[in-house]
């Protein structure tokens, strides 16, 4: 079972460094109004979209590649009587028109994609004055071969960019103004234990536990090389 499959099976909300607390901090610094249009790429089970709807009443869209995530987000919105359109789709091939959104949010998603394609799509659908907001993992220093191999095994991705590489990739794909709002180590950014976990689990089996163990072992062994950063990028 892949790591993303694990997240979908457990239906883990706020599955990103810093958890829901960091999401709220990030959004509090932005000028979101009921006229803002926001797209949450890789929105998972829709916890952040639910919060934005209730807090800011923006015009929202969600997209996620995993059918189980989409199903769980729909279930969440139905239970909370929220009318938030969500589609199963790939951020590398968005169906929205050019210059549609004031904000695009990526909470631990771009790292799992083919980043050039995903970022150029984000730049395309973002308005000229819009902001791409991200909470993403990064390598605190270029990873050694062993750590890279483990990263591929556990997360299915070949490369974890350093902050400098992220900036270059953003620049190469249509973003020219970047602000780093926060950076840190993933070990220090484990979700706040005072916050109730938001899980929507499906059937749980042994394979799932082994994937969970691999993920935890990776963070225990390599966590000091893995960081995260919170950024705002504009065109
Ligand atoms: C680590 S989870 C984060 C989910 C959510 N943003 C959160 O913070 O809870 C990554 C999410 O990105 C989705 N994803 C990965 N690759 C994607 C792609 N190419 N297009 C759309 N969604 C993608 C996964 O299905 C998963 O829901």
């Amino acid at each position: 079972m892949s790591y993303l499959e694990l997240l979908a099976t457990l239906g883990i909300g706020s599955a990103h460094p810093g958890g829901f607390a960091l999401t709220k901090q990030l959004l509090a610094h932005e000028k979101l109004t009921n006229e803002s249009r926001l797209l949450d790429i890789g929105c998972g089970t829709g916890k952040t979209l639910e919060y934005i709807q209730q807090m800011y009443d923006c015009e929202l869209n969600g997209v996620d590649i995993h059918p189980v995530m989409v199903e769980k987000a729909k279930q969440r919105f139905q239970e909370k009587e929220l009318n938030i359109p969500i589609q199963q789709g790939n951020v590398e091939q968005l169906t929205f028109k050019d210059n549609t959104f004031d904000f695009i949010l990526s909470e631990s998603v771009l790292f799992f994609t083919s980043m050039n394609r995903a970022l150029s799509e984000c730049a395309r659908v973002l308005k000229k004055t819009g902001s791409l907001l991200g909470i993403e993992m990064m390598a605190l220093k270029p990873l050694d071969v062993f750590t890279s191999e483990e990263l591929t095994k556990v997360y299915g991705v070949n490369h974890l960019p350093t902050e400098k590489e992220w900036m270059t990739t953003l620049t190469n794909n249509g973003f020219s103004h970047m602000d780093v709002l926060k950076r840190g180590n993933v070990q220090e950014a484990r979700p706040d234990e005072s916050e109730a976990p938001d899980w929507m689990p499906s059937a749980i089996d042994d394979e799932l536990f082994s994937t969970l163990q691999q993920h935890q072992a990776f963070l225990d062994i390599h966590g000091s090389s893995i960081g995260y950063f919170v950024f705002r990028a504009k065109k």
Side-chain angles (χ1 to χ4, degrees):
M1 177 181 281
S2 73
Y3 175 67
L4 290 179
E5 207 63 46
L6 165 82
L7 293 181
T9 307
L10 291 177
I12 299 181
S14 296
H16 55 264
F20 189 44
L22 188 56
T23 299
K24 288 191 280 189
Q25 265 179 42
L26 165 63
L27 295 172
H29 287 101
E30 301 303 316
K31 293 192 177 78
L32 294 168
T33 71
N34 60 1
E35 296 193 347
S36 312
R37 189 147 183 209
L38 180 146
L39 171 66
D40 188 357
I41 55 168
C43 61
T45 66
K47 182 174 168 67
T48 297
L49 285 169
E50 173 191 348
Y51 174 74
I52 299 173
Q53 174 83 300
Q54 289 169 340
M55 188 77 185
Y56 302 99
D57 192 25
C58 301
E59 193 180 336
L60 298 171
N61 287 89
V63 60
D64 200 287
I65 202 163
H66 201 295
V68 174
M69 286 296 201
V70 172
E71 192 189 302
K72 290 184 179 179
K74 283 185 176 164
Q75 185 190 329
R76 176 193 297 278
F77 301 153
Q78 197 177 6
E79 281 167 9
K80 305 273 163 75
E81 298 185 3
L82 298 170
N83 183 16
I84 303 174
I86 175 161
Q87 53 177 251
Q88 187 192 347
N90 189 342
V91 61
E92 296 162 31
Q93 280 177 303
L94 293 169
T95 55
F96 302 100
K97 291 192 179 137
D98 297 1
N99 307 311
T100 300
F101 294 98
D102 301 290
F103 295 95
I104 296 179
L105 184 60
S106 173
E107 298 185 292
S108 198
V109 176
L110 289 165
F111 156 63
F112 292 100
T113 68
S114 173
M115 286 205 338
N116 287 316
R117 285 208 291 269
L119 282 172
S120 61
E121 273 298 82
C122 289
R124 181 183 69 72
V125 302
L126 198 60
K127 289 181 186 169
K128 204 169 167 30
T129 53
S131 299
L132 168 66
L133 306 173
I135 300 176
E136 291 286 346
M137 309 244 278
M138 64 170 173
L140 295 173
K141 52 183 193 282
L143 300 182
D144 58 41
V145 175
F146 174 59
T147 310
S148 286
E149 281 173 4
E150 289 294 303
L151 180 91
T152 306
K153 234 192 279 168
V154 179
Y155 300 104
V157 290
N158 293 326
H159 182 63
L160 179 62
T162 59
E163 186 177 324
K164 199 167 161 214
E165 287 171 322
W166 269 103
M167 292 304 154
T168 306
T169 312
L170 282 158
T171 307
N172 289 346
N173 289 288
F175 292 91
S176 51
H177 305 285
M178 269 74 80
D179 289 311
V180 174
L181 309 170
K182 187 169 184 168
R183 54 170 78 76
N185 182 301
V186 281
Q187 281 172 333
E188 298 146 10
R190 294 204 181 182
D192 185 342
E193 281 168 14
S194 65
E195 213 149 71
D198 182 284
W199 288 25
M200 302 172 75
S202 325
I204 291 176
D205 59 19
D206 289 351
E207 202 191 343
L208 183 142
F209 283 109
S210 125
T211 309
L212 193 57
Q213 272 167 354
Q214 277 180 351
H215 161 66
Q216 271 159 357
F218 180 85
L219 288 185
D220 290 341
I221 298 165
H222 305 286
S224 60
S225 318
I226 314 290
Y228 74 97
F229 74 133
V230 182
F231 66 90
R232 183 193 306 109
K234 286 177 158 291
K235 294 207 268 186

